[in-house]
C-alpha cells in the first residue's frame, strides 16, 4: 500500500511540475492523504474498541453461561431432591396397587368359588330338608291328633287303652284299634276352662289309622263326654304350614256344588269337578282356577256352617 502511495506522490509531483496549478493540487492531495490517515486511524481505533467490546461481551456471556449453568444445576439438584421421594412414593403406590389388584383377583376368585360352593350347599340343604320332612312325615304317618278331649280323662288308666276305647265308642267301631302310644301335646297344662291340649295317637297299623280318619269324616259331628271333638292327621309343622296356605281356597270350594277336593301329601290340593281333575301346588293358582272356572258351581251357603257332605269330601279324598 505504501508503494502505491509513493507512486501516486511521484505522479502528483510530476504533474505539479508539469502543470501551472501544481501547488493547489499538491495541497489537495496532502489534505486527502491526511484525511485518509485520519480515517485509517479512526478505523484502527474502532477496530480496537470493537475487539475490546467483543471480548467484554464474550466474557459477560461466559459469565452468564456459568451463572445459568450453576442455577440450572441448582434447580436440577433441587428438583431431583424433591422428585426422588415422589418417585419412591409413586413406585410404592404402584406396588401397592399391583398387590391390591392381585388380592382383588384372588378375592374375586374366592368369591366365585364361595358362590359356587354356596349354591352346592344350598342344593344340599334343600335336599336334606326335603328328606328330613319326608322322614318326619313317614314317622308320623301312623299318627293322628284328637282335639277337644278334656284334660285328665285318661287319669287312672293307660292312655293307649283310654284313647282306644274313646275311638271305638265315638266312631262305633267293632273293636278297639291297636295303639302303640298316646299322649298329650307337650304344651304346659292349661288353666281350668281353657282349650285342652291335643291328644297325639300312634297306631300300630296304618290301615286302622285310615279307617279311623274315614269314619271321622263320614260323621256329621263327633262328641265325647258332652264335648265336641275333632280328629285330624298328625303332620309335620312345615307341611301343616304349607297346607294352611290353601285355607282360603278350601273356603271357596266349600261353597261349590258338585266339586270334590282334598289335600294330598305333603301339600297338594286335588280338585275334582265336571271339568276334570286338577292338582295344585300353588295356593294362588288354585284360587285363580276356582274363581275363574268353578264359579258356575258356587251355591249359596251359610257362612257360619259347614255341610256334612263337604267335610266328608275333604278328608275322604285326602286319604284314599
Amino acid at each position: 500500500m505504501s508503494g502505491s502511495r509513493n507512486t501516486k506522490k511521484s505522479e502528483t509531483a510530476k504533474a505539479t511540475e508539469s502543470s501551472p496549478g501544481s501547488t493547489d493540487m499538491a495541497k489537495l492531495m496532502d489534505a486527502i492523504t491526511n484525511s485518509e490517515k485520519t480515517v485509517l486511524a479512526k478505523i484502527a481505533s474502532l477496530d480496537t474498541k470493537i475487539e475490546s467490546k467483543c471480548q467484554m461481551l464474550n466474557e459477560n456471556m461466559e459469565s452468564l453461561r456459568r451463572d445459568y449453568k450453576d442455577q440450572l444445576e441448582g434447580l436440577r439438584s433441587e428438583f431431583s431432591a424433591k422428585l426422588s421421594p415422589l418417585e419412591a412414593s409413586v413406585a410404592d403406590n404402584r406396588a401397592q396397587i399391583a398387590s391390591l389388584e392381585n388380592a382383588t383377583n384372588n378375592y374375586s376368585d374366592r368369591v366365585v368359588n364361595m358362590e359356587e360352593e354356596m349354591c352346592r350347599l344350598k342344593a344340599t340343604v334343600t335336599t336334606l330338608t326335603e328328606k328330613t320332612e319326608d322322614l318326619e312325615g313317614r314317622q308320623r304317618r301312623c299318627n293322628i291328633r284328637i282335639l277337644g278331649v278334656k284334660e285328665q280323662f285318661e287319669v287312672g288308666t293307660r292312655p293307649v287303652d283310654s284313647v282306644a276305647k274313646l275311638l271305638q265308642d265315638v266312631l262305633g267301631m267293632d273293636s278297639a284299634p291297636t295303639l302303640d302310644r298316646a299322649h298329650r301335646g307337650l304344651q304346659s297344662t292349661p288353666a281350668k276352662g281353657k282349650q285342652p291340649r291335643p291328644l297325639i295317637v300312634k297306631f300300630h297299623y296304618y290301615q286302622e289309622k285310615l279307617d279311623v280318619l274315614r269314619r271321622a269324616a263320614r260323621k256329621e259331628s263327633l262328641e265325647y263326654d258332652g264335648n265336641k271333638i275333632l280328629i285330624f292327621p298328625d303332620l309335620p309343622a312345615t307341611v301343616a304350614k304349607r297346607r294352611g296356605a290353601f285355607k282360603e281356597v278350601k273356603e271357596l270350594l266349600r261353597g261349590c256344588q258338585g266339586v270334590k277336593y282334598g289335600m294330598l301329601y305333603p301339600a297338594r290340593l286335588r280338585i275334582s269337578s265336571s271339568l276334570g281333575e286338577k292338582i295344585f301346588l300353588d295356593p294362588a293358582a288354585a284360587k285363580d282356577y276356582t274363581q275363574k272356572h268353578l264359579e258356575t258351581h258356587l251355591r249359596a251357603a251359610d257362612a257360619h256352617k259347614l255341610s256334612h257332605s263337604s267335610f266328608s269330601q275333604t278328608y275322604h279324598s285326602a286319604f284314599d
Side-chain angles (χ1 to χ4, degrees):
M1 185 173 181
S2 60
S4 62
R5 289 178 180 176
N6 292 332
T7 303
K8 289 180 179 180
K9 287 179 179 180
S10 60
E11 289 177 354
T12 305
K14 289 179 181 180
T16 303
E17 292 175 357
S18 59
S19 301
S22 59
T23 302
D24 294 334
M25 182 61 67
K27 291 180 179 180
L28 179 61
M29 292 302 296
D30 290 337
I32 292 172
T33 301
N34 294 329
S35 297
E36 185 176 346
K37 290 180 180 180
T38 303
V39 169
L40 291 174
K42 289 183 177 180
I43 290 173
S45 177
L46 287 173
D47 289 339
T48 303
K49 290 181 178 180
I50 290 173
E51 185 177 356
S52 176
K53 293 292 184 182
C54 288
Q55 186 176 358
M56 289 178 62
L57 286 173
N58 289 332
E59 292 175 356
N60 291 334
M61 289 177 64
E62 182 66 22
S63 177
L64 290 174
R65 186 181 68 79
R66 287 194 300 267
D67 291 342
Y68 288 146
K69 185 177 180 180
D70 293 340
Q71 290 180 4
L72 288 174
E73 289 295 335
L75 290 174
R76 183 179 297 174
S77 300
E78 185 179 355
F79 286 150
S80 297
K82 291 184 178 179
L83 288 175
S84 295
L86 292 176
E87 291 176 351
S89 178
V90 169
D92 185 53
N93 289 337
R94 286 178 179 173
Q96 290 182 1
I97 290 172
S99 176
L100 289 174
E101 288 178 349
N102 293 332
T104 302
N105 293 331
N106 293 334
Y107 287 136
S108 178
D109 295 338
R110 292 177 63 183
V111 168
V112 171
N113 293 334
M114 289 177 63
E115 288 178 347
E116 293 176 352
E117 184 66 20
M118 186 178 295
C119 291
R120 288 193 293 268
L121 291 175
K122 186 177 180 180
T124 302
V125 169
T126 301
T127 302
L128 293 176
T129 301
E130 292 174 352
K131 287 185 177 181
T132 302
E133 290 180 357
D134 182 68
L135 289 173
E136 186 179 0
R138 291 178 185 276
Q139 187 180 15
R140 295 174 181 238
R141 70 192 304 264
C142 290
N143 294 3
I144 64 170
R145 283 178 177 258
I146 305 175
L147 307 181
V149 179
K150 65 181 181 179
E151 295 281 343
Q152 307 298 327
F153 100 101
E154 68 273 24
V155 174
T157 62
R158 294 177 64 235
V160 290
D161 296 335
S162 301
V163 174
K165 185 67 169 58
L166 178 152
L167 292 173
Q168 182 181 11
D169 294 343
V170 170
L171 299 177
M173 302 176 70
D174 296 334
S175 60
T178 304
L179 306 181
D180 290 341
R181 294 194 65 184
H183 61 84
R184 291 282 181 177
L186 300 180
Q187 303 93 332
S188 58
T189 303
K192 187 176 181 180
K194 298 293 184 179
Q195 183 72 23
R197 293 172 295 171
L199 280 168
I200 302 174
V201 182
K202 180 178 176 61
F203 288 80
H204 186 76
Y205 299 106
Y206 178 70
Q207 295 301 325
E208 286 188 345
K209 174 227 178 180
L210 290 182
D211 183 50
V212 167
L213 289 174
R214 290 189 182 115
R215 286 174 180 269
R218 294 191 193 104
K219 291 273 187 182
E220 183 175 357
S221 63
L222 301 175
E223 289 188 5
Y224 180 76
D225 197 15
N227 297 316
K228 183 177 180 180
I229 65 173
L230 298 172
I231 300 176
F232 299 101
D234 183 35
L235 300 171
T238 54
V239 175
K241 183 177 180 179
R242 288 161 61 187
R243 288 192 173 200
F246 288 93
K247 180 179 179 181
E248 186 178 358
V249 183
K250 290 190 287 187
E251 289 177 353
L252 291 175
L253 291 171
R254 289 190 185 100
C256 295
Q257 187 175 10
V259 177
K260 294 182 179 181
Y261 66 96
M263 296 299 299
L264 303 177
Y265 194 85
R268 295 176 295 161
L269 178 64
R270 180 172 64 187
I271 301 176
S272 299
S273 67
S274 59
L275 301 177
E277 184 176 285
K278 295 283 186 179
I279 296 178
F280 297 93
L281 297 174
D282 182 16
K287 181 179 178 181
D288 184 69
Y289 173 81
T290 301
Q291 291 176 336
K292 288 184 177 180
H293 302 287
L294 300 180
E295 58 183 2
T296 56
H297 299 279
L298 291 173
R299 60 182 174 83
D302 186 358
H304 302 285
K305 279 177 135 185
L306 297 177
S307 66
H308 163 63
S309 61
S310 64
F311 185 85
S312 174
Q313 290 166 357
T314 300
Y315 286 96
H316 182 68
S317 61
F319 295 98
D320 275 348

